[in-house]
Amino acid sequence: EGKWIEGPSYHFLDSVYKQLPKLNMIVEDLGELRPQVHELRDHYDLLGMKVMQFSFGEDERKVKYKIPQHCVVYTGTHDNDTTAGWFEKLSDGDKEVALRYMNSFYTPKEEQHWDLIALAMRSTADTCIIPVQDFLGLGSEARINMPSTLGDNWKWRMTKGAFSEELKEKIRRMTKLYGR
């Protein structure tokens, strides 16, 4: 039974930047937002968010292939399914578009998450964040949060030793290759 109220926005951010002029902030600008959110983001030159999982759909006219430079790109966030889980649940049409865009028709199913990771890493986005579950290739069982639900959120934990030396080396090579 809450209600939306306007926050201090410009006054607050003016105060923050007066104290911390070199601070880099990321603004969550996902979903349907009021134009004022984009105006505030642009006024302070804040980094917006782009989620690769939101980039594909069966209707190719709605596919958002281009990731701008001035943003943070994610394969998914804590509020999304893991990339492996997302691939598993895609409709045939959506999966076909995603695989075609990534040229991944011959990638084994259990390795497709790496194609989305590589796509995010080689984007021009200033910053790239990959959830650890995606590096590990885990499915929906490793999802962190299901928005608007209670009870089973924030329970997943990475086990000790989950990152093998081989996996660490693969991540290191990709990070170096794509300049991340």
Side-chain angles (χ1 to χ4, degrees):
E1 296 184 30
K3 64 179 181 175
W4 176 261
I5 59 169
E6 189 75 32
S9 62
Y10 290 93
H11 175 71
F12 172 75
L13 288 172
D14 285 343
S15 297
V16 168
Y17 281 112
K18 184 175 181 181
Q19 297 296 315
L20 304 165
K22 295 182 180 186
L23 180 66
N24 290 323
M25 285 199 284
I26 301 167
V27 62
E28 184 174 336
D29 57 350
L30 303 171
E32 294 184 28
L33 302 170
R34 299 175 311 132
Q36 293 91 332
V37 174
H38 298 287
E39 291 167 9
L40 186 71
R41 177 198 62 205
D42 296 344
H43 178 80
Y44 291 98
D45 201 28
L46 302 171
L47 293 173
M49 296 173 63
K50 301 297 178 196
V51 179
M52 297 301 299
Q53 291 180 15
F54 299 162
S55 295
F56 301 100
E58 193 169 343
D59 182 349
E60 292 185 38
R61 293 170 297 169
K62 295 181 181 177
V63 176
K64 301 173 210 118
Y65 295 139
K66 297 184 193 265
I67 302 294
Q69 183 175 358
H70 193 64
C71 74
V72 178
V73 66
Y74 303 76
T75 49
T77 72
H78 62 281
D79 283 339
N80 300 86
D81 202 345
T82 66
T83 293
W86 170 75
F87 266 123
E88 186 69 30
K89 293 177 179 112
L90 280 177
S91 71
D92 289 343
D94 287 351
K95 189 175 291 187
E96 195 270 334
V97 169
L99 293 176
R100 186 161 22 101
Y101 183 73
M102 294 185 295
N103 196 29
S104 298
F105 287 108
Y106 303 105
T107 302
K109 181 179 175 181
E110 62 275 3
E111 295 291 318
Q112 288 173 336
H113 61 283
W114 285 108
D115 292 337
L116 196 67
I117 290 170
L119 186 62
M121 282 193 164
R122 70 177 173 253
S123 75
T124 61
D126 288 339
T127 303
C128 177
I129 297 177
I130 309 295
V132 68
Q133 298 93 321
D134 288 352
F135 280 132
L136 293 169
L138 300 175
S140 299
E141 73 281 357
R143 184 174 181 159
I144 293 288
N145 186 44
M146 181 77 73
S148 301
T149 66
L150 298 173
D152 286 326
N153 294 317
W154 302 97
K155 292 183 177 181
W156 181 83
R157 298 291 183 264
M158 186 172 77
T159 58
K160 186 175 182 174
F163 270 56
S164 67
E165 291 305 316
E166 180 183 349
L167 179 58
K168 288 184 225 179
E169 180 59 22
K170 183 173 186 169
I171 295 168
R172 188 196 67 74
R173 281 193 323 269
M174 286 184 80
T175 303
K176 185 176 179 182
L177 176 66
Y178 297 124
R180 294 291 174 184

